[in-house]
Amino acid sequence: MAPKITGYKTHDIRFPTSLSGDGTDAMNTDCDYSSAYVKLYTDSDLTGYGMTFTIGRGNDIVCKAIEELANRLIGKDTEEIFANMGKTWDYLSSDSQLRWIGPEKGVIHIALGAVDNALWDMYARARNKPLWKLVVDMTPEEIVNATAFRYITDAITREEALAMLKEKAATRAEREAKVRELGYPAYVTSAGWLGYSDEKVARLTREAVEAGFNHFKMKVGADRDSDLRRGKIIRSIIDDPQYLPPGLKPRDPNGPDLVGKNAGPTGSVLMIDANQVWDVPQAIEYVKSLAEIKPWFIEEPTAPDDILGHAAIRKALKPYGIGVATGEHAHNRMVFKQLLQAEAIDVCQIDSCRLAGVSEVLSVLLMAAKFGVPVCPHAGGVGLCEYVIHLSLIDYIAVSGTMERNVLEFVDHLHEHFLYPCSINKNGRYNVPSNAKEGYSIEMHESSIAEYEFPNGSYWKSVR
């Protein structure tokens, strides 16, 4: 007899990252990286773990919304849930009273992300596989059934998605072997927070180059002169061969993986991120003024749901060789649909829990693959790196079939709080999660919960 879901527990977990300046940008100046965390229990030992990311205040509100959604699962047969995860997603998103406070956006939607991710974690654990492996071992028909398709069939139909997946299915094993050997390409943001001194930016950039990274992102938008200065500091290091690790030769800036990315002489790439701080005309003029540091793209140049604004910015910056990326605050698959249809982005940046879990992420991966736009997920926050490596592996192995121009964000913060933390190899690439017990890799140490649960964890008590 299959286990049934019997209960849940939420935890409001907050880390005091505002004290060190981690996560600071032009819009978000005092981030306390936080997790609205949920455990789903069954009448067996099987448990599912999920979370969504916030930056502090309001995390308790998300936890309350998670409880409302998780309550809908009580008494459900897990195997019936797993049999059609797309149908399960539709069920969770269809409560008319809870939907009213979205619909499919805001607090209720990111809460659904936590619950859906917990179900996928439980599913993977039930099959003794990491989440990515669970999905890439599915048949094309099973993946389509696991995907949220409502409201996007004018961009991609189930039949089109099935044909795309079938086309890639025969060569999945080759790609899986390749990424296990090489790792998945990563970029680093840890050196580029606005709250860091020039000295810290330089030191962290040198350390990132030494660690094998060749894609780097910095935050911009608070002060143009400061942005240029910091950009030149980063460029002076990443473009200088003397800082490369011993034995590592410069990459070809005109190679297929780097052409069009404004790579410097060592093959290093710089990206910039404004975190929504500008109006459209401001964004265009500001980014033009940063052209001398040669960014590949400007991320989140304006309001995240301004599709036509992003399209206008992309058109204006194209003569300067600067692209546009967005998505970490795109609150559902319909926003991504419109960004792709309007040719508003060069890079698609999914977020693992701003979108409402794996089933909605699958819909965006499929659309991006159809439109030929690379997916480079957002991962700047607690637990997000642990999540998104699974999603990028699914994209590469089962959906798009390419990782040549893709890079996955890596931020070196707070991984020690997870039982199965992500890791980076000597070439600046993510290692492939391989523990059969880790599911979606988001289970936290109980000691971390006890210390940082708000407001009664040991840390928060100590600073009252």
Side-chain angles (χ1 to χ4, degrees):
M1 186 178 234
K4 291 188 176 181
I5 294 176
T6 57
Y8 55 84
K9 185 171 179 57
T10 60
H11 298 273
D12 175 358
I13 303 164
R14 308 187 193 186
F15 299 95
T17 49
S18 59
L19 299 178
S20 57
D22 298 343
T24 51
D25 57 55
M27 182 66 76
N28 307 295
T29 56
D30 61 341
C31 305
D32 283 333
Y33 277 3
S34 300
S35 167
Y37 186 74
V38 62
K39 303 170 185 172
L40 294 179
Y41 300 114
T42 68
D43 54 10
S44 73
D45 292 336
L46 183 63
T47 302
Y49 302 88
M51 59 150 277
T52 196
F53 170 68
T54 79
I55 60 169
R57 289 181 294 277
N59 204 49
D60 51 333
I61 300 172
V62 181
C63 285
K64 182 61 180 173
I66 289 171
E67 291 169 3
E68 291 291 333
L69 289 163
N71 193 57
R72 305 195 74 214
L73 294 170
I74 301 300
K76 298 293 184 184
D77 181 294
T78 54
E79 288 301 322
E80 291 180 8
I81 286 172
F82 302 156
N84 191 321
M85 289 294 281
K87 183 177 179 181
T88 297
W89 192 91
D90 289 341
Y91 166 74
L92 283 170
S93 63
S94 66
D95 180 290
S96 59
Q97 295 185 12
L98 294 176
R99 190 178 185 279
W100 186 265
I101 58 174
E104 297 193 38
K105 62 178 70 71
V107 168
I108 198 65
H109 206 58
I110 63 174
L112 177 53
V115 176
D116 186 66
N117 286 342
L119 283 176
W120 277 98
D121 177 75
M122 181 184 286
Y123 187 4
R125 288 165 181 266
R127 299 296 185 264
N128 290 306
K129 295 180 180 182
L131 183 278
W132 70 268
K133 182 64 171 162
L134 171 77
V135 177
V136 305
D137 284 350
M138 288 179 170
T139 65
E141 290 82 1
E142 287 172 329
I143 295 176
V144 167
N145 284 338
T147 301
F149 274 99
R150 191 177 192 183
Y151 303 135
I152 64 167
T153 54
D154 55 324
I156 187 169
T157 65
R158 285 175 168 269
E159 293 73 22
E160 286 177 304
L162 184 59
M164 288 167 54
L165 292 166
K166 284 183 173 180
E167 182 186 352
K168 296 290 190 295
T171 49
R172 283 185 195 174
E174 296 170 22
R175 289 188 293 277
E176 181 177 333
K178 182 177 180 179
V179 74
R180 284 183 183 274
E181 177 188 356
L182 299 177
Y184 193 92
Y187 74 86
V188 66
T189 302
S190 304
W193 301 120
L194 278 185
Y196 290 173
S197 67
D198 289 356
E199 292 75 19
K200 187 170 183 178
V201 168
R203 174 177 60 80
L204 292 174
T205 302
R206 287 192 298 270
E207 290 175 0
V209 173
E210 290 166 4
F213 291 98
N214 78 316
H215 285 65
F216 308 82
K217 190 169 79 180
M218 62 173 267
K219 301 292 184 174
V220 298
D223 180 89
R224 193 188 317 257
D225 292 339
S226 174
D227 293 341
L228 270 175
R229 186 184 70 253
R230 290 183 306 113
K232 289 177 180 178
I233 290 170
I234 293 174
R235 269 288 180 201
S236 72
I237 296 167
I238 67 176
D239 289 346
D240 191 334
Q242 71 168 311
Y243 294 109
L244 292 174
L248 183 64
K249 296 179 180 179
R251 295 170 169 91
D252 179 5
N254 296 309
D257 57 332
L258 294 175
V259 67
K261 288 186 175 183
N262 287 327
T266 65
S268 290
V269 176
L270 179 63
M271 300 96 84
I272 56 176
D273 182 0
N275 292 91
Q276 318 157 35
V277 78
W278 300 312
D279 280 8
V280 171
Q282 273 183 299
I284 293 167
E285 293 309 310
Y286 200 110
V287 177
K288 284 181 183 178
S289 75
L290 299 180
E292 67 179 287
I293 61 173
K294 297 182 178 178
W296 170 24
F297 61 65
I298 173 65
E299 178 178 338
E300 284 202 310
T302 193
D305 36 3
D306 185 357
I307 284 84
L308 297 182
H310 279 86
I313 294 166
R314 181 174 184 252
K315 182 178 180 180
L317 294 180
K318 200 162 190 176
Y320 296 82
I322 301 171
V324 171
T326 201
E328 75 173 86
H329 281 86
H331 42 244
N332 55 43
R333 64 207 175 280
M334 291 79 80
V335 174
F336 281 105
K337 177 186 75 169
Q338 294 174 63
L339 287 166
L340 292 164
Q341 289 173 325
E343 299 181 350
I345 52 174
D346 298 276
V347 174
C348 174
Q349 294 178 306
I350 57 170
D351 183 278
S352 55
C353 45
R354 169 109 14 214
L355 290 173
V358 176
S359 290
E360 188 171 32
V361 167
L362 288 172
S363 70
V364 179
L365 296 182
L366 287 161
M367 286 191 290
K370 179 184 173 181
F371 282 83
V373 175
V375 175
C376 300
H378 167 247
V382 61
L384 301 188
C385 294
E386 278 68 28
Y387 266 154
V388 293
I389 178 55
H390 292 268
L391 304 178
S392 287
L393 291 170
I394 294 166
D395 178 54
Y396 171 54
I397 297 169
V399 182
S400 72
T402 180
M403 62 175 177
E404 192 169 54
R405 297 181 61 78
N406 304 61
V407 279
L408 173 53
E409 185 171 23
F410 177 73
V411 177
D412 195 13
H413 305 308
L414 306 173
H415 303 296
E416 66 275 13
H417 298 290
F418 295 89
L419 270 69
Y420 306 100
C422 65
S423 63
I424 298 289
N425 68 23
K426 62 182 178 63
N427 296 315
R429 289 170 170 253
Y430 273 85
N431 290 311
V432 172
S434 57
N435 192 311
K437 297 180 180 180
E438 69 185 282
Y440 206 175
S441 306
I442 211 67
E443 182 182 358
M444 280 194 188
H445 290 290
E446 289 298 324
S447 58
S448 295
I449 297 173
E451 185 172 2
Y452 290 103
E453 186 157 18
F454 188 86
N456 294 315
S458 58
Y459 170 82
W460 293 108
K461 281 185 176 179
S462 73
V463 295
R464 283 179 187 166

